[in-house]
Amino acid sequence: MNDDHAASPAATPNAFREISPTTLADVLGRGQVMDVGIRPLWSTVPRVAGPAFTVRCPPGDNLMLHAAIHRAAPGSVIVVESGDLDHALAGGNVCAVAQRRGVAAFVADGLIRDLAEVRAMGFPVFARGVIPFPGSKKAVEPLNVDVRCGGVDVSAGDMVVADEEGVVVVPRARQEEALGAARAKLAKEAEESLDAWELAHRTRIDEILRDGGFVG
């Protein structure tokens, strides 16, 4: 792998777990934020952060996600491109094995089943919803190829940060930059009182209104 695209040793999952998706979204922009349909399937899901292990499943088939749980390194977030909303990608046993093997979470542009089991075991799943009918297991695809999930392009090794606020993908080449910018933003916010924020906010909003011709 080209060193230009290697993640910084400081930009670890533990470091990113301290940063909310909200702050990362402010730093990275809308293009790195998955759409509203990719949401936690149980509450209150803990924040997760980990390198993406990417999977592509053709509509109606879940073979490669089932293969991925035995191949993803501990700490990985398995990110699935599916686009199929007629079949479940995984169920309780698949999530249980993934959890036992140290997978941090599933982020799937599709559906799962056995939600009660998944909730009971506390395995984080971010997906479009639930359906009881499973997909087939026929389509062999490569693992760790570029995928698209929730409207965001995801490559293997990108940092995925997700909680109840949403899912943000930090490209591998931008991890050190994003972490530094996010920490600086949080430090600045911590130094500002609510009174100071309110004054600055009111001033800015009033200026925009005035420039737009608003009277009132």
Side-chain angles (χ1 to χ4, degrees):
M1 180 177 294
N2 189 317
D3 289 341
D4 291 341
H5 298 290
S8 164
T12 64
N14 283 340
F16 275 101
R17 206 170 292 119
E18 298 174 358
I19 311 295
S20 74
T22 301
T23 300
L24 288 170
D26 288 344
V27 168
L28 293 167
R30 178 65 183 88
Q32 296 307 124
V33 180
M34 291 192 186
D35 69 51
V36 67
I38 310 298
R39 64 190 189 278
L41 295 189
W42 54 270
S43 295
T44 302
V45 67
R47 182 178 301 151
V48 299
F53 187 98
T54 57
V55 179
R56 182 178 294 139
C57 289
D61 199 281
N62 60 29
L63 173 65
M64 297 317 297
L65 174 54
H66 288 235
I69 65 171
H70 301 289
R71 291 162 175 80
S76 299
V77 175
I78 294 182
V79 179
V80 188
E81 175 184 326
S82 170
D84 173 22
L85 299 182
D86 294 312
H87 304 81
L89 290 164
N93 285 343
V94 169
C95 291
V97 171
Q99 184 181 55
R100 184 163 65 180
R101 294 183 58 80
V103 171
F106 286 169
V107 175
D109 203 332
L111 310 174
I112 70 160
R113 66 180 192 167
D114 301 331
L115 180 58
E117 294 178 29
V118 176
R119 183 193 303 115
M121 71 181 73
F123 183 67
V125 176
F126 301 80
R128 293 200 180 273
V130 179
I131 196 169
F133 191 73
S136 61
K137 295 170 181 61
K138 298 177 182 177
V140 176
E141 298 273 348
L143 292 169
N144 273 330
V145 297
D146 292 350
V147 300
R148 191 163 177 83
C149 183
V152 178
D153 294 327
V154 186
S155 298
D158 289 351
M159 190 66 67
V160 181
V161 184
D163 65 14
E164 62 187 1
E165 297 289 344
V167 184
V168 177
V169 179
V170 187
R172 178 187 286 269
R174 298 183 63 188
Q175 287 173 19
E176 184 174 3
E177 164 209 337
L179 184 62
R183 284 173 167 169
K185 187 176 190 299
L186 290 173
K188 181 179 179 181
E189 290 172 351
E191 293 174 354
E192 184 178 43
S193 70
L194 181 59
D195 288 342
W197 185 92
E198 181 182 6
L199 177 60
H201 179 262
R202 176 67 182 268
T203 300
R204 180 169 64 91
I205 296 303
D206 285 351
E207 181 179 333
I208 295 169
L209 291 173
R210 183 174 60 253
D211 290 348
F214 177 82
V215 178

